[in-house]
Amino acid sequence: MLLVYAGDESVTWRALFASQAPDIACVAWPDAVDPAAVTWIACWNPPEGLFAGFPNLRAVFALGAGVDRLVARTDLAAHVELVRLVDAGMAAQMIEYAQLGVLLWQRRCLDYRAQQLQAVWRKLPPIARGETRVGVLGLGAMGGAVAAALAQAGYRVWGWSRRARQIDGVRCLHEASGLTELLGETDVLVNILPSTMATRGLLDRSHLAQLPAGALVVNAARGDQLDAAALLDLLDSGHLGGALLDVFATEPLPTDSPLWLHPRIVITPHVAASTLSGPAVAQVVDNLRRAHSGGPMSGVVDRSTGY
Ligand SMILES: NC(=O)c1ccc[n+]([C@@H]2O[C@H](COP(=O)([O-])OP(=O)(O)OC[C@H]3O[C@@H](n4cnc5c(N)ncnc54)[C@H](OP(=O)(O)O)[C@@H]3O)[C@@H](O)[C@H]2O)c1
């Protein structure tokens, strides 16, 4: 039996599962149910301890792409598979978000915004796509699609991943030396890495300082990967040119955060790529059918690497 937990939205999600897969028994938290009958849980922000109550749990399906808050859970036994969404309509949104960051830099929107606030009408030298160097951190379901789309659109794209990757038109790098190489040649840095032990705090002062003068940072992954104080210092010193931030160490971003009113920062409230319920349910259902027939599921998280 599948149990759905999505806070106040649990019943709505259960209805979606019921309409896409009426043959799969499904209940919504907190329906009365025999805990021993629950073998699958599909969830969004489940409360701590939820998983411990189900002795026959086989897999937990995250209704999102990021699983950083789930991998370390002590109530998730090692034998229970953790499965995330792979794309499910989010990569197309992430491409748009990355394009937004690239255009902020390429079309000099933050410079023109500064001029606008002073009623200054002055044309700045245009920057062509082919002169715009984009560095994409993470070349998975999201980052790989972003890098490929930007390369296809004519930008000069570099990508960085843990293992060696190949993407048409993208200079793919890995390892620490690859990151150094990428940072030194990047006008727009787009972070789409999962938050893991290896990537938390990665965008620290020393790495941000390696970006060329005037570079713009897009953080569409997780807030704990970026040192916000270092970012502010580098913006104020004029070394960095701007930032487009979707994710923050504390969400919602506290009202007294200096990030809010910084003239070179554009803020969005964790909306770069939202879960689309239809494709999300379809992907979980597909995995349930695979599991029922003894096949491998897609999107199974390697809990040793954390993604
Ligand atoms: N803001 C939003 O709205 C939003 C929406 C969706 C997702 N996200 C975030 O985006 C993240 C990525 O999603 P995804 O579906 O693209 O994940 P994914 O398919 O698992 O891809 C992760 C990529 O990061 C690389 N990577 C992981 N650890 C690394 C390390 N230590 N050093 C270098 N590269 C590393 C992986 O390298 P390999 O290719 O070598 O494995 C892979 O290319 C999610 O975890 C989530 O936090 C944010």
Side-chain angles (χ1 to χ4, degrees):
M1 176 181 289
L2 173 70
L3 172 83
V4 181
Y5 178 92
D8 295 345
E9 304 285 313
S10 300
V11 172
T12 310
W13 278 87
R14 183 196 51 193
L16 284 167
F17 276 101
S19 70
Q20 283 202 29
D23 55 312
I24 295 176
C26 181
V27 291
W29 180 91
D31 286 351
V33 60
D34 171 10
V38 173
T39 41
W40 320 101
I41 292 180
C43 57
W44 181 253
N45 282 340
E48 199 67 45
L50 178 83
F51 306 136
F54 303 99
N56 296 320
L57 197 55
R58 289 176 56 186
V60 166
F61 298 95
L63 295 171
V67 287
D68 41 295
R69 288 211 263 165
L70 291 173
V71 279
R73 295 260 304 227
T74 51
D75 57 339
L76 194 58
H79 70 272
V80 177
E81 289 198 291
L82 176 58
V83 187
R84 67 188 191 89
L85 292 180
V86 181
D87 184 354
M90 285 182 279
Q93 299 174 65
M94 199 56 100
I95 291 170
E96 292 167 355
Y97 197 81
Q99 286 169 334
L100 175 64
V102 169
L103 290 174
L104 278 176
W105 187 87
Q106 187 207 341
R107 301 308 302 256
R108 315 192 74 142
C109 292
L110 296 173
D111 297 327
Y112 286 127
R113 173 79 186 156
Q115 291 189 182
Q116 181 184 338
L117 293 175
Q118 312 222 14
V120 171
W121 180 279
R122 187 171 69 228
K123 295 179 186 186
L124 300 170
I127 305 170
R129 289 185 191 190
E131 298 170 55
T132 304
R133 303 166 298 179
V134 184
V136 181
L137 303 183
L139 294 174
M142 307 282 155
V146 165
L150 291 172
Q152 211 167 13
Y155 293 99
R156 281 171 60 189
V157 183
W158 309 62
W160 187 66
S161 53
R162 192 167 61 87
R163 299 161 289 187
R165 295 270 161 201
Q166 249 191 317
I167 300 173
D168 276 355
V170 178
R171 176 120 196 266
C172 294
L173 302 164
H174 61 290
E175 297 181 343
S177 57
L179 180 60
T180 303
E181 201 181 333
L182 178 148
L183 291 173
E185 298 280 343
T186 287
D187 300 311
V188 183
L189 182 71
V190 184
N191 177 38
I192 323 180
L193 286 166
S195 173
T196 68
M197 293 285 277
T199 66
R200 259 166 238 139
L202 184 79
L203 297 179
D204 58 9
R205 193 174 298 268
S206 72
H207 280 131
L208 292 174
Q210 289 173 35
L211 289 164
L216 182 137
V217 175
V218 179
N219 192 11
R222 287 291 183 264
D224 59 11
Q225 296 166 325
L226 174 70
D227 180 341
L231 176 79
L232 285 166
D233 286 349
L234 289 163
L235 286 169
D236 290 339
S237 72
H239 179 71
L240 290 180
L244 170 61
L245 305 177
D246 188 55
V247 288
F248 304 90
T250 304
E251 294 182 7
L253 181 63
T255 50
D256 61 353
S257 168
L259 296 170
W260 278 116
L261 295 178
H262 197 286
R264 310 286 308 184
I265 295 179
V266 175
I267 287 177
T268 52
H270 203 139
V271 292
S274 304
T275 295
L276 301 177
S277 57
V281 167
Q283 199 167 101
V284 174
V285 167
D286 179 59
N287 267 331
L288 286 172
R289 299 211 189 287
R290 287 177 191 222
H292 279 303
S293 60
M297 296 192 283
S298 70
V300 175
V301 173
D302 175 350
R303 285 163 76 184
S304 65
T305 58
Y307 73 99

